[in-house]
Amino acid sequence: MEDFINRALGQGGHLSKLVQGYSPRAPQILISTKVGLSLDAEKHLMCEAGTGTGKSLGYLTPAAYWAVKNNKTVVVCTHTIPLMTQIVNVELPRVQQILKMEKLNLKYQLVKGKSHYVCYTKLETLWQEMLRSSSRDSKVVQRIFSKVAKEGVGDRTALGFEVEDALWNRISASSCPAINKPDNCMLEDLKEKMQKAHIIVTNHAYFFSDLIMRKKTGNGPLPAYDAVIFDEAHELEDVCCNIFEKEVDLNRFETLFDYLFKRDAFNDLDKSNQLALTQLRQQFTQKLDEVYLKVGEGMKNDAFKLLHEKIDMSDVCSILGQFIEKIKSLSIRGVSDILDRLFEGNDDLDFIGENAKRSWAYWATVHGRDHVTLHAAPLFPKVVLANGLFDKVPVILASATMSTNGSFQFFAGRCGVKEYDSVMVGSPFDYENKTMIICPDDAPVPDSPEMLTYTVEKLEEILMYSGGRMLVLFTSFETMNQVARKFQKHCSERGYNLLVQFPGCDREKIINDLKNNPRTVVLGCSSFWTGVDVAGDALTTLVIVKLPFPQPNEPLIQAQIQLIEKAKRNSFVDYMFPKMMIKLKQGFGRLNRSMNCQGAVIILDSRMRTKRYGKTVLKSLPKCKYSEKLEDIVRILPV
């Protein structure tokens, strides 16, 4: 493996013949070597590599070689679409060329969720319905049909034009009406391509959805695989716990009952069987309503409440079980999908009601008037990953931000990785000369009433120096929107383009506006702490309003804290601070995306100066110039 890596990435090697002006990077070669050795030895690897090290090419090169030479399958998972796109469109074609020089043929395949692909049966039906129509939708359907029929395009993003969600939902492969799959089924074609691929690229969510099915049935949408690589692995915990969450409300069952009762197969039943099923449905709904009413009464005015006691679901689950058995006994065709979902819902009700697993959190939420939902989720990934993933195949966990105080112990412990090799590579960027951290000495306490006004005034002052080219990161949508309302007039009067994240916004469009218009200011929360890639002088000023500690008003966070404190441990040291540092380092990394980046990271949180852990935070970030005076920004901003 080491000889191959030197031939591929070393001086005068394969990559130097493919990329003009290429010179070997020692950190990238180290990553490749470690990944290759881990795969050969079938060991787990923790790989932290700073921005600019060429991490993705570093792990893809040995992974592809290992897969092709040994006829293996490697699944590569990313969190963000831009990285997935870069891997499929840039990195893997390059690795394919490298392997060709070794006389090896690499095959790779991108896979997304079913809803991203077109269902040919549904498309053809809709196309025929609209042949005589001149509506706007009919023209779009004709364009899609032409693309699919002539070019074999089946992925929504590959169409090359926008399709509204309402129309796309009518033709997507999320559910298929065909009993027998047609020859031109996109999903069947995708399955075939995946079976032949050495490298399969997907996202974290798809992988964990596959793992859920694999744990239940032994098989999932993905073919059998021999190794897994998680890039952007710092996101693994949140995605995993979210995907494995069980969530049950009355609407979930009502929707399934409605689907079933509207099917022709139900209407074909005799009246006595229809009546029997209707009565079971009514009994189930009434009993579940009683359970939810009791839970809701105990919540008073709380938005959520952790549940520590069992909920008696015996009657509810028994009635739904009778309903399912009755449907099975009638041998109704074409309802197996609904039965599977009803059965899964019954399992979830029973699981939540038992409240038996101490490594899970159980809670109830209320939305609107008396709409109660019951939830259960693993408290950390190791609950579901230690058995079923880490005990089955070698896993490479790669990110720019996984360590805490130079150690992988916190992250590895939460994921359930007991034995692993590790590699930690710093960024080649010149932080010391090109980046300044500023923690203003006049910042108030973060939760004080003055903080909102202070933030707006400080942003106005910063804007005077930066002239735009600014990203402001918040930990709360509410605070961000309050600041935006007060800051909007200032920006409008001075000709600045203020863009504010909102649910469902086009994140990539906002990022492109920041890249292309220097007089732009972006206010972002949640997803903007990671994956924003704006190189050069398009982004020179990053403002972090508040240190991103986990929010104790979220159910899973509150359950984590209770669990740690019950064990007589310090929840701040063992959980809150390490989680904050991982996210802060991600946010910090938004400023420096290339060798040409230069600018300031301004942290408006006074705890950076007043709390003892402030010095630990600074030591954990790249070594930069430091100031407590905002006016010093002029010493670092590019001319």
Side-chain angles (χ1 to χ4, degrees):
M1 180 66 80
E2 290 178 75
D3 288 343
F4 160 71
I5 289 166
N6 282 325
R7 289 197 304 274
L9 305 177
Q11 191 71 45
H14 302 327
L15 192 57
S16 65
K17 295 178 176 68
L18 296 171
V19 180
Q20 193 172 3
Y22 169 80
S23 59
R25 304 184 200 178
Q28 188 180 59
I29 290 172
L30 177 60
I31 292 166
S32 281
T33 304
K34 280 283 192 178
V35 170
L37 293 174
S38 293
L39 290 172
D40 277 341
E42 297 193 347
K43 284 185 175 181
H44 305 310
L45 176 71
M46 294 276 179
C47 171
E48 182 170 279
T51 312
T53 52
K55 166 171 53 72
S56 52
L57 188 66
Y59 63 68
L60 286 169
T61 303
Y65 183 77
W66 180 78
V68 177
K69 287 286 282 186
N70 299 290
N71 195 26
K72 303 280 191 183
T73 301
V74 179
V75 179
V76 175
C77 309
T78 76
H79 180 63
T80 60
I81 291 172
L83 180 57
M84 184 191 286
T85 304
Q86 178 191 329
I87 285 172
V88 173
N89 294 342
V90 179
E91 310 289 16
L92 280 173
R94 197 165 277 172
V95 173
Q96 195 173 49
Q97 289 296 109
I98 288 171
L99 291 194
K100 272 186 183 175
M101 296 178 183
E102 295 276 322
K103 296 183 170 49
L104 297 173
N105 183 26
L106 170 67
K107 293 177 183 175
Y108 58 88
Q109 181 60 46
L110 170 67
V111 60
K112 306 175 188 176
K114 288 182 181 180
S115 62
H116 291 271
Y117 301 96
V118 70
C119 170
Y120 192 84
T121 302
K122 287 158 81 171
L123 174 63
E124 189 174 38
T125 302
L126 189 60
W127 173 69
Q128 287 176 346
E129 283 176 13
M130 291 185 163
L131 274 176
R132 290 186 175 84
S133 171
S134 59
S135 68
R136 185 167 164 269
D137 275 359
S138 70
K139 290 173 183 174
V140 176
V141 169
Q142 285 175 37
R143 281 186 76 188
I144 297 170
F145 187 80
S146 177
K147 274 270 184 184
V148 172
K150 292 177 182 176
E151 300 174 32
V153 172
D155 183 342
R156 184 177 183 176
T157 54
L159 289 171
F161 52 87
E162 287 294 318
V163 182
E164 290 180 3
D165 289 345
L167 179 58
W168 180 258
N169 291 339
R170 296 175 69 184
I171 60 171
S172 91
S174 52
S175 63
C176 178
I179 294 170
N180 297 311
K181 298 288 184 186
D183 292 338
N184 50 10
C185 174
M186 300 294 171
L187 297 184
E188 291 300 307
D189 182 53
L190 188 64
K191 276 184 194 175
E192 199 174 310
K193 286 177 178 173
M194 282 197 288
Q195 290 289 347
K196 296 175 182 176
H198 301 105
I199 302 274
I200 296 171
V201 182
T202 188
N203 59 36
H204 291 183
Y206 188 93
F207 180 84
F208 290 129
S209 298
D210 172 90
L211 192 61
I212 289 173
M213 290 184 67
R214 207 168 283 273
K215 278 173 168 279
K216 285 180 181 175
T217 66
N219 292 299
L222 290 170
Y225 46 80
D226 304 289
V228 181
I229 298 174
F230 288 103
D231 202 340
E232 301 177 305
H234 57 275
E235 298 284 0
L236 183 147
E237 177 170 347
D238 289 344
V239 178
C240 177
C241 293
N242 182 49
I243 293 293
F244 275 85
E245 180 183 330
K246 299 175 186 292
E247 184 177 311
V248 193
D249 67 357
L250 195 55
N251 285 351
R252 173 174 170 180
F253 294 103
E254 288 292 356
T255 301
L256 291 171
F257 286 136
D258 284 343
Y259 280 152
L260 183 63
F261 282 39
K262 285 175 183 174
R263 294 273 173 99
D264 290 340
F266 176 81
N267 294 323
D268 291 341
L269 294 173
D270 60 58
K271 295 296 179 187
S272 62
N273 281 319
Q274 286 185 13
L275 180 61
L277 289 169
T278 302
Q279 286 174 338
L280 283 170
R281 172 184 180 173
Q282 288 170 347
Q283 288 172 34
F284 169 80
T285 302
Q286 182 186 338
K287 286 291 182 185
L288 188 58
D289 217 15
E290 287 171 9
V291 169
Y292 282 177
L293 191 63
K294 191 174 178 181
V295 172
E297 284 171 354
M299 292 181 67
K300 299 175 184 175
N301 294 319
D302 297 331
F304 77 88
K305 180 185 178 183
L306 292 177
L307 304 171
H308 301 291
E309 306 296 331
K310 285 188 176 185
I311 300 171
D312 185 3
M313 292 284 189
S314 54
D315 287 347
V316 174
C317 292
S318 174
I319 295 167
L320 187 55
Q322 291 174 48
F323 182 92
I324 292 167
E325 288 306 314
K326 180 72 175 173
I327 292 288
K328 284 181 177 177
S329 71
L330 294 170
S331 301
I332 303 173
R333 290 191 66 193
V335 296
S336 59
D337 57 329
I338 296 175
L339 276 184
D340 287 346
R341 289 161 72 186
L342 283 171
F343 189 82
E344 184 183 7
N346 209 18
D347 265 2
D348 289 350
L349 277 174
D350 183 55
F351 181 89
I352 295 171
E354 280 296 311
N355 203 316
K357 292 188 180 287
R358 294 303 93 202
S359 51
W360 284 64
Y362 301 83
W363 72 96
T365 55
V366 175
H367 304 280
R369 187 181 175 187
D370 303 328
H371 186 114
V372 176
T373 306
L374 298 177
H375 308 256
L379 284 164
F380 22 73
K382 75 176 178 184
V383 174
V384 289
L385 300 186
N387 296 316
L389 177 61
F390 291 116
D391 61 334
K392 303 287 186 189
V393 296
V395 180
I396 313 294
L397 296 152
S399 170
T401 57
M402 281 191 300
S403 66
T404 308
N405 293 332
S407 166
F408 291 115
Q409 188 176 351
F410 173 76
F411 188 80
R414 294 190 68 78
C415 289
V417 191
K418 291 180 181 175
E419 295 181 10
Y420 58 90
D421 286 337
S422 64
V423 59
M424 201 176 291
V425 180
S427 171
F429 297 160
D430 185 9
Y431 288 101
E432 204 162 351
N433 291 310
K434 290 197 167 187
T435 307
M436 179 182 285
I437 296 173
I438 301 175
C439 302
D441 57 8
D442 59 349
V445 176
D447 294 326
S448 66
E450 304 89 54
M451 188 63 190
L452 180 64
T453 302
Y454 173 84
T455 301
V456 176
E457 289 174 352
K458 227 51 184 175
L459 291 180
E460 291 174 357
E461 190 179 345
I462 294 166
L463 195 55
M464 180 180 70
Y465 290 112
S466 72
R469 302 181 294 177
M470 181 159 70
L471 172 63
V472 188
L473 295 175
F474 292 82
T475 56
S476 155
F477 273 100
E478 184 182 355
T479 303
M480 180 182 70
N481 289 327
Q482 288 175 340
V483 168
R485 285 192 289 272
K486 291 177 176 290
F487 190 39
Q488 178 66 64
K489 186 181 177 186
H490 179 89
C491 291
S492 298
E493 288 175 348
R494 288 157 183 79
Y496 289 106
N497 181 28
L498 179 64
L499 302 175
V500 185
Q501 180 189 4
F502 60 88
C505 69
D506 186 338
R507 199 181 85 132
E508 296 311 308
K509 185 180 184 307
I510 290 175
I511 294 168
N512 281 330
D513 285 352
L514 181 60
K515 287 178 179 177
N516 298 319
N517 180 357
R519 294 184 69 81
T520 295
V521 179
V522 173
L523 308 190
C525 195
S526 59
S527 64
F528 276 73
W529 284 78
T530 184
V532 175
D533 195 345
V534 181
D537 288 350
L539 174 59
T540 62
T541 311
L542 174 73
V543 182
I544 293 172
V545 175
K546 192 176 176 182
L547 293 174
F549 284 103
Q551 300 294 318
N553 60 348
E554 293 178 13
L556 266 178
I557 308 300
Q558 202 173 98
Q560 300 272 9
I561 293 169
Q562 286 186 13
L563 185 74
I564 293 167
E565 292 180 349
K566 198 173 179 180
K568 309 292 186 194
R569 286 161 41 216
N570 187 316
S571 60
F572 182 83
V573 173
D574 288 355
Y575 179 73
M576 299 290 278
F577 186 78
K579 287 286 283 184
M580 182 279 290
M581 277 309 310
I582 288 172
K583 187 159 186 178
L584 179 66
K585 288 198 285 185
Q586 272 298 311
F588 180 92
R590 296 316 96 210
L591 182 69
N592 301 87
R593 307 307 301 170
S594 73
M595 300 295 276
N596 298 321
C597 292
Q598 182 170 326
V601 177
I602 302 162
I603 305 175
L604 300 182
D605 195 319
S606 62
R607 291 173 292 186
M608 288 291 292
R609 295 177 298 99
T610 61
K611 298 290 185 182
R612 278 189 300 177
Y613 59 74
K615 289 181 180 176
T616 306
V617 172
L618 286 173
K619 281 181 185 175
S620 300
L621 296 172
K623 190 177 180 183
C624 307
K625 290 182 170 70
Y626 177 79
S627 175
E628 294 182 358
K629 301 293 181 186
L630 184 59
E631 55 267 30
D632 284 341
I633 195 173
V634 297
R635 292 168 39 208
I636 198 68
L637 288 181
V639 178

